[in-house]
Amino acid sequence: LDLGTGSNGWGNNELQTYVEDNRNIAMNGEGHLVITARETEDGGYTSGRMRSTDAVELQRGRFVARIKLPQGQGLWPAFWLLGANYDEIGWPACGEVDVMEMVGNQPHVVYGTVHGPGYSAGESIGNTFSLGEGSFNDGFHVFAADIEEDLISWYVDGERYGTVGPADLPSPDLWRFDHPMFMLLNLAVGGDWPGSPDENTTFPAEMAIDYVEVYQRSE
């Protein structure tokens, strides 16, 4: 897997630097892969990002991960997909599916969205899921998205909470989810959406992944 090192995320004004360091990406004693965001001595942040580029790229199917999320102002964990043609045509033309995003000051809410030409960043299209009680930091939850020819569906713990199809876009011919996509898991710190950490944000902050599964529908 590609660890996707570097700073600033991808233009979101994030504060962390993604590094290749087992203090930021490692297995714990319970068999979980843990991505850890840490505050550095100079007031910066390090964290981890993993990409399945060239290892797992799937056109249509189900993408699933069981994750325990962190909470705290300025934390931004995500499980998401990008078109495998990202390097050739860039973003948002390649298409992006956010299977799960959470901003840490709303630890009971996750977002499932799509981005493409004409509906990216603040104009993305999608849905939200809120827990009836507690937060996604209390334990593990299963986040999934089904990508079909003309429909994307989002799930939390097996409950479907939203869909998007070509008719929901500014124009149906802007659908960009009919080619292989690769997966990403990361824990960002700061950025345009979540804002910066504050005095109540606790570091190190951990995003624990129990498993990731992908399925492809048989013909």
Side-chain angles (χ1 to χ4, degrees), residues 191-212:
D192 297 332
W193 185 19
S196 298
D198 62 21
E199 66 276 6
N200 297 314
T201 309
T202 301
F203 291 95
E206 295 184 347
M207 174 183 181
I209 299 104
D210 184 23
Y211 60 76
V212 177

Side-chain angles (χ1 to χ4, degrees), residues 47-59:
S47 190
R49 175 173 62 190
M50 303 185 69
R51 307 187 294 194
S52 71
T53 317
D54 299 327
V56 178
E57 297 176 351
L58 193 64
Q59 178 174 342

Side-chain angles (χ1 to χ4, degrees), residues 1 9-10 45 52 69 76 121 148 188 196 206:
L1 293 177
W10 266 314
Y45 303 93
S52 71
L69 298 173
W76 185 5
E148 301 179 71
S196 298
E206 295 184 347

Side-chain angles (χ1 to χ4, degrees), residues 1-3 19 21-37 47-52 64-70 77-79 140 183-187 205-213:
L1 293 177
D2 176 7
L3 294 185
V19 295
D21 192 315
N22 60 13
R23 292 175 297 176
N24 297 97
I25 302 178
M27 300 295 294
N28 67 9
E30 299 174 354
H32 303 138
L33 175 66
V34 179
I35 299 177
T36 304
S47 190
R49 175 173 62 190
M50 303 185 69
R51 307 187 294 194
S52 71
V64 185
R66 185 171 185 262
I67 306 172
K68 181 181 179 181
L69 298 173
F79 171 41
F140 285 87
M183 297 178 291
L184 302 97
L185 285 158
N186 66 279
L187 174 53
E206 295 184 347
M207 174 183 181
I209 299 104
D210 184 23
Y211 60 76
V212 177
E213 299 176 339

